Amino acid sequence: QVQLVESGGGLVQAGGSLRLFCAASGRTFGSYTMGWFRQAPGKERDIVAAINWSGGSTYYADSVKGRFTISRDNAKNTLYLQMNSLKPEDTAVYYCAADTRPYYSGSSLARTYDYWGQGTQVTVSS
């Protein structure tokens, strides 16, 4: 069983920055692919970024490339998402997710992630 708890969301003006955190339980966090997804009202849940177990491979949605950075600290069981140059269209609930297939190369598909956090709201005002 894996528990994921997000934090760091909030209200920010366009052009601003936020850093999201995801604290994970369990002793095998370092073997999981981790991802950040987001869901805006009336829209599907979409991948934002993903990172493989070692942190050596990352994936970004085109809409956030160059603005967002995903990283992880396996010693602290923590996943991060640094969000810069935020836009109103980034407004959504952001979810942390774990794909617990050990030492897998990574996935951008929501259906491969088997544990999810409760989400944290990010609101970007224009």
Side-chain angles (χ1 to χ4, degrees):
Q1 189 76 8
V2 178
Q3 291 186 323
L4 303 172
V5 179
E6 303 97 334
S7 60
L11 173 64
V12 64
Q13 288 189 332
S17 298
L18 282 174
R19 194 180 198 199
L20 303 185
F21 302 82
C22 174
S25 66
R27 294 176 292 176
T28 54
F29 172 81
S31 68
Y32 304 156
T33 292
M34 298 296 297
W36 286 102
F37 293 76
R38 66 186 181 187
Q39 187 167 22
K43 295 189 176 181
E44 294 184 351
R45 188 172 298 188
D46 293 325
I47 183 79
V48 175
I51 187 167
N52 78 329
W53 61 273
S54 68
S57 177
T58 56
Y59 168 89
Y60 294 94
D62 287 344
S63 58
V64 306
K65 281 181 181 176
R67 300 189 297 122
F68 291 11
T69 303
I70 189 171
S71 61
R72 67 190 297 162
D73 186 335
N74 288 342
K76 296 182 178 179
N77 277 21
T78 304
L79 177 73
Y80 307 96
L81 184 68
Q82 179 66 44
M83 305 186 294
N84 298 329
S85 302
L86 282 160
K87 304 175 181 179
E89 51 264 44
D90 295 318
T91 295
V93 177
Y94 283 70
Y95 298 91
C96 163
D99 176 343
T100 60
R101 291 174 291 179
Y103 306 110
Y104 190 64
S105 58
S107 172
S108 62
L109 301 175
R111 65 174 182 266
T112 68
Y113 289 79
D114 42 356
Y115 290 94
W116 295 80
Q118 83 289 347
T120 186
Q121 177 71 45
V122 172
T123 303
V124 184
S125 62
S126 56

